Amino acid sequence: MSRINTTLRSKKILIDQFAHQGLKTLALLSASFIFLIGSVILVKGLTPFLTDNDGLGRVGLIPFLTGNVWLIGPTFQSSLYSVGFLIITTLYIVFLSLLISFPVGVLTALFIAKIAPKKLAECFRSVVEILASIPSIIYGLFGAGFILKIVYQMSQLVGVQSKGGNSVLSTVIILALMTIPTITTVSEVAIRSVDQRLIEGSLALGASFTQTNFKVVLTAAKSGIFTAAILGVGRALGEATAVSLVAGGRRSGLSFDLLDTTATLTTTMLEGMKESQGLDYNIRFSVGMVLLVVILITNFLLNLIKRKVGKIHVK
Amino acid sequence: MKKIIGCFTLILALLLTGCSRGLFNEDAKITVYTRDTTSGTRDGFMNGIGFSEAAKQDDLLVSGFLIKDNTAILNAMTIDEYGIGYISLSSLTDNVKGLKLNGVIPSEANVLNDTYDLKRPFMWMIRAEDDYPSEAVELLVQAFVAFLNTTDAGDIINNAGAIALPSSTTWDSIKNDYPITAEDNHLITVRFGGSDSIQKVAQALTQAFSAKAGNFIAEHDHTGSGDGWKRTNGDSKDQAEGKDVGFSSRNFTSAELANVNATQTGQLAWDAIVTIVHNDNPIENITTQILKNIYSGAYTLWSDLPETD
């Protein structure tokens, strides 16, 4: 009897160990992809700065990061690339889109989590989840087919001739539409998990539901809401396909004009990628490197702010 | 609340009136659309309007131009009444207006009879007789060149966006003249190169032809029209990058043709480009000179354009 027990137990331990090792290998494998991707981008992206690019000359790091023209001189024959203005417009566009998507997203989440009746909330929740899973190219097609037209006609009404609607404004609208579902889903979870005792305490002290929702619930959930904003910024910074369909492909000059054409780091990487070669191809990896650094820095800064503001504990 | 609703109705009403077609404002700025510098269509267009410097260089173009791809330019001309752009002739639809060039209507017929100017020939060139890696490669190349003149190849060329030369021969009716195509050739590699603008067409052609010719391996390495001659009959033909078939998206120059037999070269297709504007734009005809002035920024308003009809 006891012999059977021992073999059973050792068999159990064996299976446990086996599963443990197997999962560990898988986890290591998926984690190692970041090194693989990182090193490929790094090696390709550093080539333009380290070699003479088949006689075109080395790309200077400082001019690359500060310049105001994507490429001076003919493609495939010049090494005078720069992304300075693109870094700034990228951040500018993401900031503007967050200005729209953040309040809309968070307030939608508040409604779904706290105010809407159960059935309505369920319905809205699934709609937002569907929105979050729509591929970016669909947003892009919507933008090219609809937003461009609206922005073009609106700008005509105010007496400005926009360039077919291709503008900062269209880009911002598309990015806001894309990030609202992300922000809503994540902040809804944060709002729902606010400690019920806090809310009851507030109500017991005589605060109205609206006061409680805005002053207690949102404050208590701010750490989670901030995470939502960070994810939204991440999605907006990395978006290429949809943006390239409405941005207009600006190649030089920093412009903050809402109705002027624009470009971001990602759209510049994407445009012409398929037909490119040599330095013009490698430089896109360098832009990718810059984009990764920009994303890392923004995430770091946002996390820093989050730690500063999000003191209240949220379960 | 009433005010908000009022505002919305006003905006909606304004939008609807905005949708109804207004008059074309001659004093509006021209919005210039272009492909990006890696595009073969841009290369063909800029060379065609005598502005070849701008084929690969963005800073020579009028400031404030837009970069879009073929479909996006087509789509933009349905929205932007004051835009001008160019697309490959095969993608022209009724939603936009294709402009006459120097008085000639952009149509397939006018491309084939050589009256429409904004086009370039797609040429092929093969190595000299007995100058191939093996006899099998030579026979396959001859079969491929014959295939280019068939209706089968014509369909593929038209599908890939170019305009095939007229033909009434089918591949089935001539394939018996090329017994090599009935053999198993899956170990034989044929090297294709030259113009990168033709790469898409060439790859579609070799993919279809390989299946008809014993599954030979088609190796594509397209580096530019200059290498169409250089790597088949020029300096580098016997080096590692040498090619069996070279393509060029322009006519071969007389210098290139000096050491080449007439049977070693020919045309497979035309690539035509059409200038497009919004349907509301009253302009019907344009000249290459005006196009150059628009793209270089000499003309910035529609009223700057001289009468051409």
Side-chain angles (χ1 to χ4, degrees):
Chain A
M1 193 68 188
S2 70
R3 251 188 70 176
I4 297 171
N5 258 343
T6 347
T7 35
L8 257 180
R9 197 174 307 137
S10 65
K11 205 175 166 188
K12 265 187 187 164
I13 292 172
L14 201 70
I15 290 174
D16 278 354
Q17 274 178 341
F18 200 73
H20 181 86
Q21 290 303 330
L23 293 180
K24 194 174 173 185
T25 321
L26 281 178
L28 271 177
L29 194 70
S30 44
S32 64
F33 279 121
I34 191 163
F35 293 106
L36 194 67
I37 294 170
S39 48
V40 167
I41 300 279
L42 206 65
V43 167
K44 277 264 189 193
L46 284 178
T47 320
F49 303 107
L50 300 177
T51 66
D52 82 332
N53 301 306
D54 295 328
L56 296 180
R58 226 160 47 89
V59 179
L61 186 61
I62 301 297
F64 180 70
L65 289 177
T66 54
N68 202 15
V69 180
W70 163 242
L71 174 63
I72 301 170
T75 313
F76 306 131
Q77 289 164 43
S78 162
S79 63
L80 301 171
Y81 289 90
S82 54
V83 294
F85 70 109
L86 292 172
I87 299 176
I88 296 172
T89 43
T90 304
L91 292 172
Y92 173 63
I93 285 171
V94 170
F95 173 73
L96 286 186
S97 72
L98 197 67
L99 224 51
I100 302 175
S101 62
F102 185 68
V104 175
V106 172
L107 295 179
T108 311
L110 182 65
F111 178 75
I112 295 177
K114 286 290 164 209
I115 300 168
K118 213 170 179 190
K119 280 215 170 130
L120 190 64
E122 204 53 56
C123 171
F124 272 123
R125 197 172 292 134
S126 28
V127 169
V128 170
E129 270 159 17
I130 291 171
L131 274 178
S133 63
I134 288 180
S136 55
I137 182 69
I138 305 289
Y139 281 101
L141 290 177
F142 171 72
F146 184 70
I147 304 278
L148 286 186
K149 215 174 219 165
I150 297 293
V151 169
Y152 180 72
Q153 278 164 1
M154 287 296 250
S155 56
Q156 236 174 3
L157 287 182
V158 297
V160 182
Q161 188 196 337
S162 79
K163 291 171 176 162
N166 296 280
S167 58
V168 175
L169 186 61
S170 308
T171 314
V172 166
I173 293 175
I174 285 294
L175 282 181
L177 285 182
M178 289 182 66
T179 45
I180 284 173
T182 315
I183 293 180
T184 308
T185 359
V186 179
S187 37
E188 200 237 322
V189 173
I191 290 171
R192 256 194 300 159
S193 56
V194 169
D195 197 337
Q196 194 61 32
R197 285 172 299 179
L198 270 177
I199 300 169
E200 281 161 5
S202 163
L203 292 171
L205 285 170
S208 70
F209 276 106
T210 311
Q211 281 171 325
T212 310
N213 280 338
F214 280 90
K215 298 216 163 138
V216 177
V217 176
L218 284 188
T219 322
K222 64 184 168 187
S223 166
I225 291 173
F226 224 89
T227 312
I230 294 175
L231 286 174
V233 167
R235 181 151 199 208
L237 271 177
E239 183 45 46
T241 333
V243 173
S244 70
L245 288 171
V246 296
R250 194 183 185 84
R251 284 296 153 95
S252 63
L254 187 58
S255 161
F256 294 114
D257 185 347
L258 279 182
L259 287 174
D260 206 350
T261 55
T262 187
T264 64
L265 288 168
T266 47
T267 59
T268 314
M269 278 161 82
L270 190 67
E271 270 152 19
M273 179 88 179
K274 279 180 278 183
E275 296 180 79
S276 193
Q277 44 160 337
L279 173 60
D280 193 63
Y281 181 72
N282 288 339
I283 200 81
R284 290 157 206 269
F285 287 83
S286 314
V287 181
M289 240 164 54
V290 172
L291 179 67
L292 284 181
V293 172
V294 168
I295 290 179
L296 281 180
I297 292 178
T298 359
N299 267 4
F300 176 75
L301 286 179
L302 287 174
N303 274 311
L304 213 66
I305 303 173
K306 180 183 150 191
R307 222 168 295 157
K308 282 249 160 86
V309 297
K311 285 259 169 66
I312 294 180
H313 173 69
V314 176
K315 270 202 284 190
Chain B
M1 197 61 195
K2 260 186 187 164
K3 261 188 197 164
I4 297 176
I5 293 174
C7 257
F8 269 114
T9 352
L10 192 70
I11 290 175
L12 209 68
L14 282 171
L15 263 182
L16 287 175
T17 47
C19 287
S20 60
R21 298 262 160 254
L23 284 173
F24 185 82
N25 176 11
E26 291 278 343
D27 288 323
K29 283 192 215 110
I30 307 174
T31 315
V32 173
Y33 291 79
T34 179
R35 299 285 304 276
D36 66 77
T37 47
T38 60
S39 154
T41 309
R42 170 160 169 167
D43 193 58
F45 179 78
M46 293 301 173
N47 280 309
I49 64 170
F51 197 16
S52 49
E53 313 89 271
K56 298 265 175 257
Q57 198 163 349
D58 279 333
D59 44 9
L60 297 174
L61 292 180
V62 55
S63 67
F65 63 89
L66 283 92
I67 295 177
K68 292 260 168 182
D69 63 28
N70 206 62
T71 323
I73 290 180
L74 187 64
N75 183 39
M77 285 318 130
T78 63
I79 299 172
D80 193 343
E81 288 147 287
Y82 306 108
I84 188 165
Y86 55 86
I87 55 171
S88 140
L89 180 58
S90 53
S91 23
L92 183 64
T93 66
D94 286 341
N95 297 330
V96 299
K97 187 190 277 186
L99 294 182
K100 284 191 265 183
L101 184 81
N102 305 326
V104 183
I105 297 167
S107 69
E108 225 166 88
N110 284 341
V111 169
L112 291 174
N113 70 21
D114 212 355
T115 50
Y116 183 74
D117 276 335
L118 204 51
K119 65 177 187 312
R120 50 187 181 159
F122 280 177
M123 309 292 292
W124 53 264
M125 178 178 273
I126 59 176
R127 296 175 81 95
E129 221 172 300
D130 298 330
D131 188 28
Y132 289 86
S134 72
E135 206 197 331
V137 173
E138 179 161 7
L139 292 172
L140 276 175
V141 166
Q142 283 164 357
F144 177 72
V145 166
F147 172 71
L148 290 179
N149 273 325
T150 63
T151 52
D152 303 59
D155 289 342
I156 296 164
I157 291 170
N158 289 333
N159 277 337
I163 296 166
L165 304 183
S167 161
S168 57
T169 327
T170 63
W171 172 245
D172 281 339
S173 68
I174 58 165
K175 71 177 174 192
N176 290 334
D177 302 343
Y178 302 92
I180 181 84
T181 58
E183 286 167 29
D184 177 16
N185 298 316
H186 79 276
L187 291 174
I188 298 170
T189 302
V190 182
R191 300 162 300 166
F192 296 85
S195 163
D196 38 2
S197 311
I198 305 182
Q199 182 162 1
K200 210 174 88 188
V201 175
Q203 273 174 337
L205 284 167
T206 56
Q207 198 192 349
F209 186 63
S210 174
K212 295 179 195 293
N215 296 313
F216 70 89
I217 301 161
E219 188 184 274
H220 285 270
D221 168 29
H222 293 256
T223 45
S225 288
D227 288 329
W229 166 77
K230 214 183 285 168
R231 294 186 175 181
T232 53
N233 292 283
D235 308 331
S236 50
K237 75 183 174 80
D238 293 325
Q239 286 163 19
E241 71 260 28
K243 297 283 174 274
D244 303 311
V245 180
F247 294 99
S248 161
S249 51
R250 52 167 171 77
N251 279 311
F252 290 106
T253 63
S254 48
E256 286 172 343
L257 290 174
N259 69 341
V260 176
N261 271 324
T263 52
Q264 275 174 261
T265 168
Q267 185 178 356
L268 64 139
W270 285 107
D271 179 31
I273 300 158
V274 56
T275 316
I276 54 169
V277 294
H278 193 277
N279 268 332
D280 282 357
N281 195 321
I283 190 172
E284 296 289 338
N285 182 35
I286 204 155
T287 67
T288 42
Q289 184 57 43
I290 294 176
L291 281 174
K292 186 181 174 184
N293 283 341
I294 290 175
Y295 274 85
S296 66
Y299 299 155
T300 54
L301 305 178
W302 281 105
S303 53
D304 288 343
L305 267 61
E307 288 290 323
T308 56
D309 291 292

